[in-house]
């Protein structure tokens, strides 16, 4: 459908712009702080991001699961920001207190001040996630696009200004990250996405309890993606974290295309019947796989040039790490839609079990490989765990729907459809291309 194509292209354009801004921002920070300084900065950011992801109690998943009841939608939207701010404040305080208790030196941080500053972002990060998810569930993809782009623009401008005046330190970079992290929420609120809607305290409790049922799954996925940072910091120090985190960020770019498709299709996955949702999941997953493969290939080929030219010779060790991470990150992007379908089934075990298994494997492999191979062992362990998670989620999807796994694999016709759509979507022409109906 043309509307779907426009939404996909709009989000792709927004994500492409965010990606360019992110690369520029990351490069400026990397060159200004050097690997060790970047490692300290990233460690503080990781603590705050962990507090955000653990403290949101899977509110987005609860919103999506409850969205199938049309009578609850207005109250779900109205509750989103106030509920998120409460949860975020509690989570940010808990994370700060934990770091004070265990000691910042355990995380190779020079002091607790950096964590205190970073955790100021937690309430606004959770609120942005909640409000942005409501926008996607309503099909307001353009609003979600603009909110992300505004945040990226603000951070890029501030970092560039500080770097030009040679005033970009670890603390300054962190303050900018916190301040600009609230911009997406400001955009969503200014647009009236959650304004003048009724609040429902009982539904807020239901949202928290529903999310808590699923939370071990998303929390495990997040820890799967970030526990390696903590382990690497403990075993190898800030410099290795600075290089490895850059590789993780670059590898994550290969998920952009597949993530965009899955986010645009979120409304259809949760607004249709089980049968229709399964059909949409199968058909669009084939395109997501093709996009993920293409992205991973381009990134792998470009990494040797990109790292040295953009980030500098000090980060050359990140290139093989990107190549090790690429297969696993690609698999995660390709399995986004089957994963979302499992959430729709409202059976927490389907969401939780694969994530917990993959996390356990990841931690075990990291403990074995980091002491031997350092960051390379970390990358290999993580990539294997990502592949395992994608395989488990896909297996559960096929089991629940009775659809054979081979139906999820793209065929020549799928590739031709994507190529035809790409040819039509050239500058100056009306976009008539679309994904297949569904």
């Amino acid at each position: 459908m043309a509307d779907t194509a426009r939404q996909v292209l709009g989000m792709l354009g927004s994500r492409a712009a965010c990606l360019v801004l992110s690369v520029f921002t990351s490069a400026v920070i990397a060159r200004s702080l050097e690997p060790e300084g970047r490692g300290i900065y990233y460690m503080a950011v990781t603590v705050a991001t962990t507090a955000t992801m653990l403290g949101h109690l899977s509110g987005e998943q609860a919103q999506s699961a409850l969205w199938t009841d049309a009578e609850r939608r207005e109250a779900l939207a109205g509750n989103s920001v106030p509920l998120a701010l409460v949860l975020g404040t509690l989570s940010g305080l808990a994370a700060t207190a934990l770091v004070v208790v265990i000691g910042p030196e355990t995380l190779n941080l020079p002091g607790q001040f950096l964590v205190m500053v970073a955790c100021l972002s937690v309430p606004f990060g959770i609120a942005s996630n909640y409000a942005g998810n409501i926008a996607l569930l309503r099909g307001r993809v353009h609003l979600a696009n603009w909110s992300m782009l505004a945040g990226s623009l603000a951070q890029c401008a501030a970092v560039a200004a500080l770097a030009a005046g040679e005033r970009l330190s670890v603390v300054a970079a962190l303050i900018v990250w916190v301040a600009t992290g609230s911009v997406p929420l400001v955009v969503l609120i200014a647009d009236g996405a959650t304004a003048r809607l009724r609040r429902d305290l009982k539904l807020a409790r239901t949202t928290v309890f529903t999310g808590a049922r699923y939370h071990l799954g998303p929390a495990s996925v997040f820890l799967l993606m970030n526990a390696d940072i903590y382990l690497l910091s403990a075993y190898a120090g800030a410099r290795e974290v600075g290089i490895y985190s850059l590789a993780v960020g670059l590898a994550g770019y290969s998920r952009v295309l597949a993530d965009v498709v899955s986010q645009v299709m979120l409304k259809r996955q949760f607004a249709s019947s089980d049968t229709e949702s399964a059909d949409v999941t199968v058909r669009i997953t084939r395109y997501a796989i093709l996009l993920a493969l293409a992205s991973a290939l381009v990134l792998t080929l470009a990494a040797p040039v990109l790292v040295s030219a953009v980030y500098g010779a000090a980060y050359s060790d990140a290139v093989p790490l990107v190549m090790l991470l690429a297969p696993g990150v690609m698999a995660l992007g390709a399995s986004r839609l089957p994963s979302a379908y499992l959430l729709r089934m409202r059976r927490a075990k389907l969401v939780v079990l694969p994530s917990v298994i993959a996390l356990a494997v990841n931690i075990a492999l990291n403990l074995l490989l980091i002491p031997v191979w350092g960051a390379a062992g970390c990358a290999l362990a993580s990539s294997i765990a990502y592949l395992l998670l994608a395989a488990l989620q896909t297996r559960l999807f096929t089991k629940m729907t009775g659809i054979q796994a081979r139906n999820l694999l793209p065929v020549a016709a799928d590739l031709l459809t994507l190529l035809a759509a790409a040819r039509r979507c050239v500058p100056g022409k009306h976009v008539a291309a679309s994904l297949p109906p569904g």
Side-chain angles (χ1 to χ4, degrees):
M1 297 173 66
D3 286 344
T4 300
R6 281 191 290 270
Q7 288 180 339
V8 170
L9 290 171
M11 183 167 276
L12 278 176
S14 172
R15 286 296 183 88
C18 288
L19 189 151
V20 172
L21 292 169
S22 175
V23 169
F24 178 81
T25 302
S26 178
V28 172
I29 291 174
R31 286 181 175 272
S32 298
L33 303 184
E34 296 296 326
E36 184 173 357
R38 189 185 190 281
I40 294 172
Y41 163 79
Y42 195 84
M43 196 68 248
V45 168
T46 300
V47 171
T49 306
T50 301
T52 299
M53 297 307 296
L54 298 184
H56 72 15
L57 295 181
S58 296
E60 300 101 309
Q61 285 78 8
Q63 288 172 338
S64 298
L66 296 171
W67 196 258
T68 52
D69 184 350
E71 294 182 357
R72 289 173 159 174
R73 292 176 182 175
E74 181 180 344
L76 282 170
N79 285 344
S80 59
V81 173
L83 177 60
L85 291 176
V86 171
L87 294 175
T89 299
L90 295 174
S91 182
L93 290 173
T96 302
L98 181 60
V99 171
V100 170
V101 170
I102 66 174
E105 64 279 358
T106 305
L107 302 176
N108 280 303
L109 290 170
Q112 63 194 38
F113 173 73
L114 293 178
V115 172
M116 294 171 64
V117 171
C119 285
L120 292 174
S121 70
V122 178
F124 305 108
I126 295 178
S128 297
N129 291 341
Y130 277 29
N133 190 61
I134 291 293
L136 290 173
L137 287 169
R138 285 177 158 175
R140 302 185 66 186
V141 178
H142 68 284
L143 178 57
N145 293 345
W146 277 111
S147 68
M148 291 186 298
L149 184 57
S152 296
L153 278 169
Q155 185 186 20
C156 183
V159 166
L162 287 171
E166 298 184 353
R167 302 178 68 179
L168 186 61
S169 63
V170 172
V171 174
L174 197 57
I175 291 173
V176 167
W177 179 78
V178 171
T180 58
S182 64
V183 172
L185 178 61
V186 172
V187 172
L188 291 164
I189 292 176
D191 190 83
T194 61
R196 297 181 300 279
L197 296 176
R198 64 184 179 90
R199 272 69 169 174
D200 186 330
L201 184 58
K202 182 179 179 181
L203 182 58
R205 289 195 297 267
T206 300
T207 303
V208 171
F209 292 143
T210 301
R213 291 177 53 221
Y214 297 102
H215 193 47
L216 184 58
S220 297
V221 171
F222 175 80
L223 292 174
L224 172 67
M225 306 288 288
N226 291 273
D228 51 0
I229 295 292
Y230 292 100
L231 294 172
L232 186 62
S233 179
Y235 279 100
R239 184 182 182 279
E240 288 289 291
V241 171
I243 294 173
Y244 177 72
S245 62
L246 175 65
V248 171
L250 291 174
Y253 294 146
S254 66
R255 291 182 58 181
V256 170
L257 292 175
D259 283 353
V260 165
V261 172
S262 66
Q263 288 183 326
V264 170
M265 301 308 297
L266 183 66
K267 180 181 178 181
R268 293 191 179 184
Q269 278 192 292
F270 284 90
S272 56
S273 67
D274 288 347
T275 301
E276 291 170 332
S277 178
D279 183 54
V280 167
T281 300
V282 169
R283 283 182 285 166
I284 306 304
T285 294
R286 295 201 295 265
Y287 295 93
I289 291 173
L290 286 172
L291 293 171
L293 280 169
S295 299
L297 179 60
V298 170
L299 179 67
T300 300
L301 294 175
V305 176
L306 179 65
V307 170
S308 59
V310 176
Y311 297 95
Y315 294 90
S316 59
D317 290 344
V319 174
L321 305 183
V322 171
M323 296 179 180
L324 287 171
L325 287 164
V329 174
M330 177 198 70
L332 286 182
S335 65
R336 276 287 298 270
L337 280 101
S339 174
Y341 182 88
L342 296 178
L343 174 64
R344 174 193 172 89
M345 301 303 293
R346 295 194 182 187
R347 291 174 59 181
K349 182 174 71 172
L350 299 178
V351 178
V352 171
L353 190 59
S355 306
V356 172
I357 293 173
L359 174 61
V361 169
N362 188 26
I363 292 175
L365 289 176
N366 271 294
L367 290 173
L368 288 172
L369 298 180
I370 291 176
V372 180
W373 293 327
C378 189
L380 179 60
S382 296
S383 194
I384 292 172
Y386 300 164
L387 286 163
L388 175 62
L389 176 59
L392 291 173
Q393 290 173 332
T394 303
R395 172 57 183 155
L396 284 174
F397 171 78
T398 59
K399 183 178 179 180
M400 294 300 301
T401 60
I403 295 171
Q404 295 184 343
R406 66 170 177 266
N407 291 335
L408 294 168
L409 299 176
V411 296
D414 299 320
L415 177 59
L416 292 175
T417 299
L418 280 182
L419 292 175
R423 284 196 297 270
R424 293 190 183 100
C425 300
V426 296
K429 289 189 177 183
H430 176 70
V431 178
S434 66
L435 293 175

